Amino acid sequence: MPTRRDLANAIRALSMDAVQQAKSGHPGAPMGMADIAEVVWNDFLKHNPQNPNWVDRDRFVLSNGHGSMLIYSLLHLTGYDLSIDDLKAFRQMHSKTPGHPEHGYAPGVETTTGPLGQGIANAVGMALAESILAAKFNRDDAKIVDHHTYAFLGDGCLMEGISHEACSLAGTLKLGKLIALYDDNNISIDGEVEGWFTDDTAKRFESYGWHVIADVDGHDADAIKAAVEEAKSVTSKPTIICCKTLIGFGSPNKQGKESSHGAPLGDDEIALTRKELNWPHAAFEVPDDIYAGWDAKSKGETEEQIWNQAFTNYQAKYPELAAEFNRRIAGDLPENWSEVIDTYIESVQASADKVASRKASQMALNVIGEVLPELLGGSADLAGSNLTINSASKGVSADDKDGNYMYYGVREFGMSAIMNGVTLHRGFIPYGGTFLMFSEYARNALRMAALMKQQSIFVFTHDSIGLGEDGPTHQPVEQASTLRLMPNMSVWRPCDVVESAVAWKSAIENRTGPSSLLFSRQGLRCEARDAGQVANIAKGGYILKDSEGEPEAIVIATGSEVSIAAEAIESMSATEQKKVRLVSMPSNDVFDAQDDAYKNAVLPANVTKRVVVEAGVSDFWYKYAGLDGRFIGVNTFGESAPIADVYAHFGITTDNIKTTLTELL
């Protein structure tokens, strides 16, 4: 019968062998946290390796994702569809075991981690989702949502500012089913951390409102087990268990040193480590009794069967709730979704008043919120400016989780990473708002959403120099273009109430990646369209005003600049107007995804006289304008002045557009 240490040593051996074979990787963290992982996975984690997507499983997040061989070893040993050959292919092209855990490759990897601190923030989102779903669907006689979120994290995660943002909010919200296990090994890449990280972590988390279990021996299974049991008993607060460990545990010459952090141990050191750990087996060889000690398939299947029976009973007693729960977990939209949103889009085409697109966004949300209870909104302390609260919004608080709106506080990065965790958990479509300028604070969480192809919806208002007097610190100029450069990120910059509604429809229906919706502060007129043009908005770019016959010049505009371009064309002589086509392009990525016939119909290749108008930088737009195209926009930082003066300063005016077109014609 293998001991606990024998079971943990299987993780150590597989980790050092895989890193050695790959000739790169991070053996230190898996070897240091192996004893902690053995206790959590064998004694506490509720999961079924034969069904990694079981809805009521506990979530496990490896926030210190560089130690990826820890989770790959755990998944392999407990019976997931991750073979020894997959471990041998660690860090190789198209393997299921990339250098950092990536969601969608190995079954059981709940989120992509590696950028430190984001994993713990994702875990906060998962725990948040669990608590809100539980408040919505559980009944006194039936708990169908009842699982924990476990997160492993290291010194690097705690040094990253996002850990402060997310963990502070987790404490405020009293997320009692979140348990973090801190690998307090005193080592980061540059060596012993005393020179740059002397925080009192226990006091820090106590101040957040967490339950703190300090100074646990991370190599004593009994101490670890007692700590996790204590953590599970505290239901009114999240818990952090601070585990003192040796990085690279078992390596005679490298344990406790930075040399074991991010490089293979080397053949000679591995041989010594095998002897030290009493692990006489060859590389990638795991004895049958060790596999048997780890195998979680039977236990997991039993746990899921118990839950299935409980859900069957729930379904019989609460059929409507059960059907709604299944719909939301499956990610299906309500049957009346298309009818409701299409009717709304048709109705607002008749709008007459000027409406800021941030207000148009809220108008759309008022309709969407009534039909989509899975919407979980929020804002980073800008609800009144982003206009992200809709008529169906109810705040989530520590004492009342049965809501659908999050007050994230001034935590743009934390908000965005928490949203990603909510999305990954399933059961919600989260959206969160801030100013477009502050997408910079959240940038890496946006990138992670795109990398994982997750449906987080980012609402960015005050989208240009139209912000006016607040000046260049708050006026985005390069942000729209850089978001468009991000793979898998769908970006919409609508010009009026109709395009804003279509943007929201697209984001809600986009299940293959995140969306960024860019909205104006200033009022925008509603453009005239026929039914065909309204339908073509969903194609990302379309002809808003056309020439007679093939155009001699094409104007391409987005967002708040569409109306300026339209007014410029309207001010031209009748003869000149007949030569010009105006294309509104609210979403470049959606337009680019159309077939060549449609794209060429909108932007004929032989029409080379083109003008792009956008209150942002020009470089992105040459793919549409051509190298000889004209650009009217902003290639410097903005200015602090009233909006009309700022637009005039940069030449984004009807007169300048008209003059430019006249020169081309």
Side-chain angles (χ1 to χ4, degrees):
M1 177 71 69
T3 65
R4 282 190 178 274
R5 178 56 56 81
D6 293 332
L7 297 175
N9 285 344
I11 296 173
R12 296 185 170 102
L14 289 171
S15 297
M16 66 183 183
D17 290 342
V19 171
Q20 186 67 27
Q21 178 150 309
K23 297 182 174 59
S24 71
H26 300 76
M31 296 174 74
M33 297 194 80
D35 296 303
I36 305 169
E38 188 277 323
V39 172
V40 171
W41 278 63
N42 280 331
D43 289 15
F44 296 101
L45 196 71
K46 182 177 69 172
H47 64 120
N48 183 3
Q50 297 176 95
N51 183 11
N53 295 318
W54 171 32
V55 64
D56 202 42
R57 69 191 182 279
D58 289 341
R59 270 57 170 184
F60 176 80
V61 174
L62 184 67
S63 188
N64 44 341
H66 55 272
S68 56
M69 271 309 303
L70 176 66
I71 191 169
Y72 297 149
S73 299
L74 289 164
L75 294 170
H76 169 71
L77 291 166
T78 55
Y80 285 79
D81 182 18
L82 196 69
S83 70
I84 197 71
D85 288 335
D86 290 322
L87 268 58
K88 291 178 180 178
F90 178 56
R91 287 184 162 233
Q92 304 309 300
M93 183 69 74
H94 303 312
S95 76
K96 294 164 72 173
T97 51
H100 290 80
E102 292 189 38
H103 178 71
Y105 285 73
V109 173
E110 300 284 1
T111 180
T112 300
T113 55
L116 294 176
Q118 286 201 63
I120 183 61
N122 292 166
V124 171
M126 293 174 187
L128 175 65
E130 190 275 344
S131 67
I132 299 174
L133 272 183
K136 174 65 178 178
F137 290 101
N138 285 353
R139 293 297 178 264
D140 291 340
D141 59 345
K143 288 188 176 181
I144 60 165
V145 182
D146 187 14
H147 52 268
H148 286 77
T149 301
Y150 295 91
F152 283 12
L153 66 159
D155 292 306
C157 291
L158 293 181
M159 283 186 254
E160 290 286 359
I162 189 174
S163 70
H164 295 263
E165 295 183 27
C167 293
S168 168
L169 187 59
T172 297
L173 293 174
K174 300 179 180 179
L175 298 178
K177 289 186 176 177
L178 173 62
I179 299 175
L181 294 105
Y182 164 38
D183 182 29
D184 184 8
N185 62 27
N186 199 43
I187 293 292
S188 64
I189 292 176
D190 280 348
E192 296 184 7
V193 300
E194 280 91 346
W196 49 88
F197 183 54
T198 58
D199 298 14
D200 188 326
T201 298
K203 288 183 179 178
R204 169 185 160 188
F205 275 79
E206 285 173 2
S207 75
Y208 291 157
W210 285 53
H211 178 62
V212 177
I213 305 174
D215 297 322
V216 174
D217 183 345
H219 302 300
D220 181 338
D222 291 337
I224 299 163
K225 182 176 180 180
V228 178
E229 287 173 341
E230 179 183 333
K232 291 189 71 174
S233 73
V234 177
T235 59
S236 61
K237 299 179 179 181
T239 295
I240 185 168
I241 303 171
C242 303
C243 300
K244 298 297 291 186
T245 66
L246 276 173
I247 190 171
F249 180 93
S251 170
N253 298 301
K254 296 188 176 183
Q255 70 176 12
K257 301 176 181 178
E258 68 272 14
S259 57
S260 69
H261 171 85
L265 297 181
D267 290 331
D268 292 343
E269 187 67 15
I270 285 176
L272 293 173
T273 303
R274 278 188 152 75
K275 184 177 180 180
E276 180 74 16
L277 296 175
N278 191 25
W279 187 267
H281 317 292
F284 296 104
E285 181 183 312
V286 178
D288 289 343
D289 62 339
I290 298 290
Y291 275 124
W294 273 107
D295 190 354
K297 294 193 292 293
S298 177
K299 179 183 176 183
E301 185 176 9
T302 298
E303 289 177 322
E304 183 173 355
Q305 286 175 350
I306 293 170
W307 183 86
N308 287 340
Q309 184 57 57
F311 188 77
T312 297
N313 298 338
Y314 178 88
Q315 205 165 20
K317 193 165 185 180
Y318 306 105
E320 291 183 0
L321 278 175
E324 177 67 5
F325 179 81
N326 281 334
R327 180 189 71 78
R328 287 176 57 167
I329 295 299
D332 297 331
L333 294 173
E335 290 183 1
N336 63 337
W337 158 252
S338 292
E339 178 184 355
V340 169
I341 191 64
D342 289 344
T343 299
Y344 172 72
I345 291 170
E346 183 180 351
S347 71
V348 293
Q349 178 56 59
S351 300
D353 296 335
K354 281 192 173 184
V355 177
S357 55
R358 62 170 173 163
K359 179 63 178 178
S361 167
Q362 186 180 51
M363 291 163 58
L365 277 171
N366 285 336
V367 174
I368 295 168
E370 294 294 334
V371 71
L372 289 183
E374 60 265 44
L375 270 189
L376 180 63
S379 176
D381 203 51
L382 288 168
S385 294
N386 298 148
L387 302 184
T388 43
I389 293 178
N390 66 74
S391 56
S393 293
K394 176 189 174 185
V396 174
S397 68
D399 299 321
D400 185 3
K401 299 295 198 307
D402 186 14
N404 60 4
Y405 190 86
M406 289 292 303
Y407 293 92
Y408 286 104
V410 187
R411 300 181 176 99
E412 296 89 356
F413 194 5
M415 172 184 74
S416 303
I418 288 169
M419 286 167 55
N420 290 343
V422 170
T423 308
L424 288 158
H425 181 278
R426 298 293 179 255
F428 298 93
I429 300 175
Y431 69 88
T434 186
F435 291 172
L436 178 56
M437 188 63 249
F438 304 139
S439 65
E440 295 295 341
Y441 284 136
R443 174 70 58 166
N444 203 255
L446 272 62
R447 187 176 188 271
M448 294 299 283
L451 180 62
M452 293 188 284
K453 301 179 181 179
Q454 293 299 303
Q455 190 193 17
S456 297
I457 301 175
F458 304 103
V459 177
F460 297 125
T461 66
H462 298 60
D463 68 343
S464 74
I465 57 170
L467 187 58
E469 290 87 345
D470 278 344
T473 62
H474 283 53
Q475 293 171 3
V477 293
E478 76 274 27
Q479 281 66 35
S481 285
T482 58
L483 285 171
R484 291 170 180 140
L485 294 174
M486 192 177 293
N488 302 327
M489 176 66 75
S490 189
V491 181
W492 286 80
R493 187 168 184 253
C495 77
D496 64 7
V497 288
V498 182
E499 287 190 2
S500 297
V502 174
W504 266 109
K505 180 184 179 183
S506 176
I508 296 295
E509 294 177 353
N510 177 17
R511 297 307 175 96
T512 60
S515 298
S516 289
L517 309 183
L518 283 47
F519 297 118
S520 75
R521 179 193 188 194
Q522 67 269 35
L524 307 174
R525 76 180 196 182
C526 184
E527 300 298 325
R529 301 177 185 85
D530 59 29
Q533 289 172 305
V534 172
N536 283 338
I537 296 172
K539 296 180 179 179
Y542 65 102
I543 301 168
L544 182 60
K545 293 181 180 295
D546 209 0
S547 58
E548 287 191 4
E550 187 168 275
E552 293 185 24
I554 298 175
V555 179
I556 305 168
T558 79
S560 48
E561 288 68 69
V562 170
S563 61
I564 300 173
E567 290 169 1
I569 294 170
E570 291 163 4
S571 70
M572 299 172 73
S573 70
T575 300
E576 290 176 318
Q577 286 187 45
K578 294 176 182 179
K579 301 177 181 180
V580 180
R581 170 178 292 177
L582 173 59
V583 171
S584 177
M585 194 174 287
S587 178
N588 309 86
D589 58 278
V590 174
F591 178 75
D592 288 348
Q594 305 306 310
D595 59 46
D596 290 341
Y598 179 78
K599 289 186 287 188
N600 195 58
V602 175
L603 298 174
N606 62 314
V607 182
T608 59
K609 295 178 179 179
R610 299 184 181 186
V611 180
V612 173
V613 187
E614 184 175 65
V617 296
S618 61
D619 287 12
F620 173 85
W621 285 103
Y622 289 109
K623 64 186 288 188
Y624 302 104
L627 294 178
D628 296 325
R630 304 287 187 91
F631 180 79
I632 298 174
V634 184
N635 278 320
T636 67
F637 293 115
E639 296 287 345
S640 177
I643 179 173
D645 295 340
V646 177
Y647 267 77
H649 173 78
F650 288 103
I652 308 175
T653 63
T654 56
D655 286 345
N656 190 35
I657 297 170
K658 178 181 176 181
T659 299
T660 303
L661 283 170
T662 300
E663 291 174 357
L664 288 175
L665 295 172

